[in-house]
Amino acid sequence: MVKSTSKDAQDLFHSLHSAYTATPTNLKIIDLYVCFAVFTALIQQVAYMALVGSFPFNSFLSGVLSCIGTAVLAVCLRIQVNKENKEFKDLAPERAFADFVLCNLVLHLVIINFLG
Amino acid sequence: MMAGGNVRFLVLILAVAICGAASVFQPISDSHRSAALDVFVPVDGSYKSLEEAYEALKTLEILGIDKKSDLSSKTCENVVKVLQSSSSTLKDAFYALNVNGILKCKIGEAGPKDIVSQLQAGVKDAKLLLDFYYSVRGLVLAKEQFPGTHISLGDAEAIFRSIKSLSQSDGRWRYSSNNPESSTFAAGLAYETLAGVISLAPSEFDPSLIQSVKTGILKLSDSIQKYDDGTFYFDEKSVDASQGPISTTASVIRGLTSFAASESTGLNLPGDKIVGLAKFFLGVGIPGDAKDFFNQIDALACLEDNKFSVPLILSLPSTVISLTKKEPLKVKVSTVLGSKAPALSVKLTQALSSKSVDSSVINNQELKFDADSATYFLDSFPKNFDIGKYTFVFKIVLDESAHEKVYITEAQTKVPIAATGAISIENAEIAVLDSDIGSVESQKKLDLTKDGAVSLSANHLQKLRLSFQLTTPLGNAFKPHQAFFKLKHESQVEHIFLDFLGLVEKLYYLSGKYEIQLTIGDASMENSLLSNIGHIELDLPERPEKATRPPLQSTEPYSRYGPKAEISHIFRIPEKLPAKQLSLVFLGVIVLPFIGFLIGLTRLGVNIKSFPSSTGSAISALLFHCGIGAVLLLYVLFWLKLDLFTTLKALSLLGVFLLFVGHRTLSQLASASNKLKSA
């Protein structure tokens, strides 16, 4: 039983991996970006806060939220750019990218203001 | 003459009763004169400006102090310099002539003619009120000082009208026709100027013009303001005026007196207002500022020197009557500058006691006059004149004989008087009572004039009663202002009670022998007393554990008034920031994922192949990236330095630019990829 489940897991992992390599490069870039952002957020929150504490709370909040926010925006971008997504077929990817840039700029303005 | 009769009629009607608080005003005395020497001190033998020199010299001249010899040489040099130069301003010429009037410097023959012609030209060209003032008043002074020179004012009526055109309907004056702000101080200057024009004019003026000025004076006197103690003053309407009430009132008085003198009529103010104005200046006391001092003395001199309404002031050297000493109450009447009053009599119309305000104790008593000390005094008081606080109401009645000048006084002068006397204390006794029943356990009679040696004993269940009776010299009952009862323990722990039952806790549970001290005092009582009555043994219960211990009294008796312990305020300690190195380390740690991102990108084989090559699109693509970079840079600056508003402004500009460029780039990219797809 255990063996099968582990084999299943391995099979699952392999299939996922092979499917993933088929995705176009664009989307991989975006995925990488998302991972980077989330990872940064984890470092900030978990590691730093656990060690030191969240003294200037506004700074802590703005740091974490900027990472999460930009990750969310990247995910949106990925959804919109993905050609296999039928809902967004008519939307040109450049337009989606422009939206991404604009929203990021607004997010960062708010974050910097809150950083204090 | 009609005018004189009217004025005298006005004077003798003491119609208006002044309802105000009572207070005493002292005329100008020697303390003023010695203060003047301190206030008007020249620097290095001369004053900073001719204006200050004039103020100082005029004040000293009015007060009768002769300091001319010290200052005359250098000041005269300045005066001569100004009067002989042809380019002095009107203001300098005016003050130079004023100083010359006091010091009488030697000016050469040619000097007066130049200055007169300069002033006459100034009058012709004047448009502002101050220009009219300096030039016209300067010509008046020149006419007095140089009687030989011929001075003509040209078209006097036109000048009168043009000065009058700056006036306003509420009696105030504007400084110039451009400036709509009006001021009471300017009104005073204007009246002085108009008086100068009238005196210099060759012929009589149209009486309607003079009448319009008089109605203006009436309107202005409506704006007079009043303090509660009966003094009147003028003040500016606007809050940020440069002239305070002293200088404004002085300017108005100067204007009104010079106008009245030029017209040979009385001041158009009712008598009580004139006395009120005089009292205002006397109430200022001794001013510390040179300008205030000058204004005070100059205004009082104007009030004293005018022929028609010279105010008289009633003052008392001391306002306390002692019934035991049997001294008379002295009253002095003099003019504001301290000179002698004419023959008159002073009547005490009423003496109102503070207890019963309606009925008066003394009615219509005339005071006797002592010619040696020039005081009026009242030496006999009625039998029912008891100690306490009174308000005496005095009235001055001028004798009917003709005077050179016409004097005015207040209708009545109210003065607060305190009468003191010796109080006798009788029937003093101290008793210890059982609390509930009230029966007397032990009772002793006291003689409060001597220190007693009474000894009593009591415990905490009993009450202590001290009673005595105070009577005034006339036999009325008397309630003192202060009555204290003090118990002092052997170890110097003291307690002061106003009511005679102390709490056991307050006594700190100390049993033992206490000294009793009684203090009775009052403003009207001449023999307030502080006496040691005796001792009392108090037997109090044992101290429970929680009660406060008596404070340790140090041996110095005044230490209880020493400084108390210092309270140090603890500010909120700022929270500890983490160590700087830790923050820097974490900064490095944060950068790691970013590097990981870049590495991943390269591994994915990211490229910038679709960067457009043609120049147009290349530029716009480049600008797009630069634009984004600029916005991010702006954010960094915002964090470091800028505030939100400048950032938003810059951001809006950059945003518009970025929008434009981005749109172009992306549309070009889109069209390129479309072409690729379709191809």
Side-chain angles (χ1 to χ4, degrees):
Chain A
M1 291 300 118
V2 179
K3 249 193 150 176
S4 66
T5 44
S6 67
K7 199 160 178 299
D8 282 335
Q10 266 193 346
D11 281 340
L12 188 65
F13 187 66
H14 279 304
S15 62
L16 265 180
H17 189 78
S18 52
Y20 189 67
T21 47
T23 54
T25 324
N26 285 358
L27 304 178
K28 281 195 207 155
I29 298 173
I30 299 175
D31 288 336
L32 188 60
Y33 181 71
V34 173
C35 287
F36 149 64
V38 173
F39 191 49
T40 313
L42 280 177
I43 291 186
Q44 272 191 34
Q45 173 164 7
V46 175
Y48 190 82
M49 195 188 95
L51 280 184
V52 182
S54 60
F55 159 54
F57 193 58
N58 53 328
S59 314
F60 163 67
L61 271 184
S62 60
V64 170
L65 287 179
S66 81
C67 296
I68 301 295
T70 189
V72 166
L73 287 173
V75 168
C76 290
L77 181 65
R78 189 187 198 282
I79 294 173
Q80 287 177 350
V81 163
N82 199 353
K83 291 191 193 53
E84 289 159 21
N85 224 339
K86 290 192 195 49
E87 292 153 356
F88 288 101
K89 220 167 33 159
D90 298 328
L91 188 69
E94 280 77 22
R95 165 76 197 281
F97 181 65
D99 284 341
F100 173 70
V101 168
L102 184 67
C103 294
N104 255 324
L105 289 180
V106 173
L107 174 74
H108 281 91
L109 176 68
V110 173
I111 290 296
I112 298 266
N113 193 21
F114 195 52
L115 197 60
Chain B
M1 277 226 326
M2 250 325 254
N6 274 342
V7 171
R8 224 173 260 199
F9 187 62
L10 202 77
V11 161
L12 289 180
I13 292 182
L14 306 167
V16 178
I18 301 176
C19 307
S23 52
V24 183
F25 293 93
Q26 306 283 352
I28 301 288
S29 61
D30 286 333
S31 51
H32 255 92
R33 296 188 167 86
S34 52
L37 287 172
D38 290 330
V39 170
F40 293 109
V41 170
V43 176
D44 295 334
S46 73
Y47 294 93
K48 264 190 289 198
S49 67
L50 281 173
E51 187 175 345
E52 283 187 20
Y54 163 62
E55 287 176 3
L57 289 168
K58 186 88 196 268
T59 314
L60 294 175
E61 186 190 40
I62 296 173
L63 288 176
I65 306 173
D66 186 20
K67 283 232 351 155
K68 294 185 204 160
S69 44
D70 304 343
L71 313 159
S72 45
S73 55
K74 222 161 171 215
T75 322
C76 264
E77 270 179 39
N78 282 342
V79 165
V80 171
K81 199 163 55 166
V82 166
L83 288 180
Q84 283 182 343
S85 95
S86 52
S87 61
S88 345
T89 60
L90 289 173
K91 184 173 170 178
D92 283 339
F94 169 66
Y95 281 116
L97 283 169
N98 266 321
V99 173
N100 190 34
I102 304 175
L103 288 181
K104 302 205 186 355
C105 305
K106 290 199 203 26
I107 314 207
E109 277 301 317
K113 287 209 185 56
D114 285 340
I115 207 71
V116 163
S117 52
Q118 218 179 321
L119 289 171
Q120 283 177 323
V123 171
K124 277 209 198 65
D125 303 331
K127 291 273 179 329
L128 304 173
L129 181 66
L130 284 175
D131 288 340
F132 275 118
Y133 175 69
Y134 292 133
S135 46
V136 170
R137 295 302 301 178
L139 283 174
V140 170
L141 289 168
K143 191 169 171 185
E144 285 168 19
Q145 291 168 23
F146 314 118
T149 49
H150 172 67
I151 295 176
S152 81
L153 205 53
D155 189 359
E157 228 177 84
I159 297 171
F160 196 97
R161 279 183 211 280
S162 48
I163 297 175
K164 189 85 181 40
S165 68
L166 289 172
S167 74
Q168 291 205 304
S169 56
D170 62 353
R172 291 194 171 86
W173 235 268
R174 280 169 295 159
Y175 279 106
S176 75
S177 39
N178 305 333
N179 192 358
E181 268 181 32
S182 67
S183 119
T184 318
F185 183 80
L189 295 177
Y191 288 124
E192 271 192 82
T193 319
L194 288 172
V197 172
I198 295 174
S199 66
L200 286 175
S203 57
E204 281 284 324
F205 268 108
D206 187 8
S208 64
L209 278 179
I210 310 287
Q211 191 55 39
S212 60
V213 176
K214 284 190 185 161
T215 44
I217 293 179
L218 280 177
K219 291 265 177 54
L220 187 65
S221 57
D222 284 340
S223 73
I224 200 169
Q225 298 181 31
K226 191 169 133 85
Y227 281 129
D228 277 338
D229 54 0
T231 59
F232 287 88
Y233 65 101
F234 287 97
D235 200 0
E236 295 287 7
K237 209 166 37 173
S238 61
V239 175
D240 58 334
S242 55
Q243 309 285 350
I246 296 181
S247 47
T248 315
T249 318
S251 157
V252 173
I253 288 181
R254 274 198 284 267
L256 293 180
T257 45
S258 50
F259 188 74
S262 76
E263 269 295 294
S264 304
T265 59
L267 281 178
N268 276 5
L269 285 177
D272 59 327
K273 287 200 176 147
I274 298 183
V275 181
L277 288 170
K279 286 200 320 196
F280 169 70
F281 282 109
L282 289 177
V284 170
I286 299 181
D289 181 41
K291 217 174 178 67
D292 282 344
F293 209 113
F294 164 70
N295 277 324
Q296 180 197 35
I297 301 289
D298 193 33
L300 288 173
C302 281
L303 286 174
E304 175 141 337
D305 286 338
N306 84 86
K307 292 204 202 88
F308 297 100
S309 344
V310 181
L312 289 173
I313 298 290
L314 185 142
S315 61
L316 281 86
S318 123
T319 56
V320 176
I321 306 176
S322 162
L323 290 175
T324 48
K325 286 196 212 145
K326 292 208 189 310
E327 279 174 357
L329 177 70
K330 294 210 184 82
V331 169
K332 274 192 177 172
V333 177
S334 63
T335 62
V336 290
L337 287 182
S339 31
K340 232 168 72 109
L344 48 84
S345 60
V346 180
K347 264 199 195 161
L348 175 62
T349 53
Q350 280 185 329
L352 302 166
S353 140
S354 56
K355 293 186 212 109
S356 58
V357 192
D358 311 329
S359 66
S360 157
V361 179
I362 307 177
N363 272 316
N364 277 327
Q365 183 102 343
E366 186 152 332
L367 280 86
K368 305 197 189 87
F369 181 60
D370 176 18
D372 298 330
S373 58
T375 53
Y376 297 84
F377 59 95
L378 181 71
D379 54 3
S380 62
F381 295 104
K383 292 208 178 42
N384 57 344
F385 189 67
D386 204 355
I387 59 173
K389 289 206 180 62
Y390 289 89
T391 307
F392 278 18
V393 182
F394 291 99
K395 194 163 97 162
I396 302 176
V397 176
L398 292 163
D399 280 353
E400 285 290 327
S401 52
H403 304 293
E404 277 178 17
K405 305 184 184 186
V406 177
Y407 293 92
I408 49 169
T409 63
E410 292 181 286
Q412 23 169 334
T413 313
K414 289 193 181 167
V415 178
I417 300 276
T420 65
I423 309 262
S424 62
I425 307 174
E426 291 150 15
N427 293 339
E429 57 184 24
I430 185 165
V432 173
L433 307 164
D434 267 338
S435 56
D436 301 329
I437 312 167
S439 68
V440 178
E441 203 193 275
S442 60
Q443 186 176 355
K444 297 259 168 65
K445 272 209 167 318
L446 298 171
D447 185 5
L448 285 170
T449 50
K450 305 199 273 277
D451 280 348
V454 170
S455 58
L456 296 167
S457 65
N459 58 25
H460 68 288
L461 291 173
Q462 293 172 319
K463 287 192 214 173
L464 180 69
R465 181 182 75 187
L466 175 68
S467 62
F468 50 85
Q469 214 173 1
L470 297 171
T471 47
T472 67
L474 287 180
N476 299 331
F478 181 73
K479 211 164 151 189
H481 206 217
Q482 303 165 331
F484 294 129
F485 182 69
K486 190 151 106 167
L487 287 178
K488 202 154 94 165
H489 191 244
E490 290 174 309
S491 63
Q492 306 288 331
V493 176
E494 302 179 338
H495 309 277
I496 303 179
F497 305 113
L498 258 189
D499 36 4
F500 294 159
L501 289 177
L503 299 168
V504 178
E505 272 181 30
K506 273 194 89 170
L507 291 175
Y508 296 121
Y509 292 91
L510 278 176
S511 309
K513 205 161 158 191
Y514 279 84
E515 236 178 81
I516 307 176
Q517 221 178 32
L518 178 67
T519 311
I520 304 175
D522 189 77
S524 319
M525 202 164 132
E526 281 174 18
N527 54 339
S528 322
L529 62 90
L530 166 77
S531 71
N532 290 315
I533 300 177
H535 302 283
I536 178 167
E537 285 266 349
L538 283 179
D539 185 14
L540 302 168
E542 283 294 321
R543 181 188 298 121
E545 308 219 340
K546 275 199 220 153
T548 52
R549 293 203 153 249
L552 277 161
Q553 304 277 14
S554 65
T555 46
E556 262 218 45
Y558 285 106
S559 67
R560 65 153 49 170
Y561 304 110
K564 293 229 175 322
E566 199 170 309
I567 307 170
S568 63
H569 182 77
I570 304 172
F571 292 103
R572 193 167 64 102
I573 303 171
E575 308 224 3
K576 267 194 315 163
L577 288 171
K580 218 175 175 175
Q581 295 93 326
L582 193 61
S583 305
L584 289 173
V585 164
F586 260 99
L587 193 67
V589 172
I590 291 284
V591 175
L592 278 179
F594 184 63
I595 300 176
F597 178 59
L598 291 175
I599 295 173
L601 280 180
T602 51
R603 273 189 43 189
L604 274 179
V606 78
N607 53 15
I608 42 172
K609 259 191 273 175
S610 52
F611 199 83
S613 47
S614 63
T615 34
S617 6
I619 289 176
S620 44
L622 201 64
L623 283 177
F624 178 61
H625 284 90
C626 287
I628 295 186
V631 172
L632 293 177
L633 193 67
L634 179 68
Y635 286 168
V636 171
L637 272 179
F638 171 45
W639 179 42
L640 288 177
K641 267 206 295 191
L642 301 172
D643 60 354
L644 187 61
F645 293 107
T646 45
T647 313
L648 280 177
K649 270 191 282 196
L651 186 65
S652 59
L653 290 170
L654 271 180
V656 166
F657 166 70
L658 198 63
L659 209 64
F660 181 60
V661 165
H663 180 75
R664 272 187 59 190
T665 309
L666 289 175
S667 53
Q668 275 157 9
L669 263 182
S671 60
S673 64
N674 273 346
K675 265 191 244 160
L676 211 62
K677 258 196 267 182
S678 55

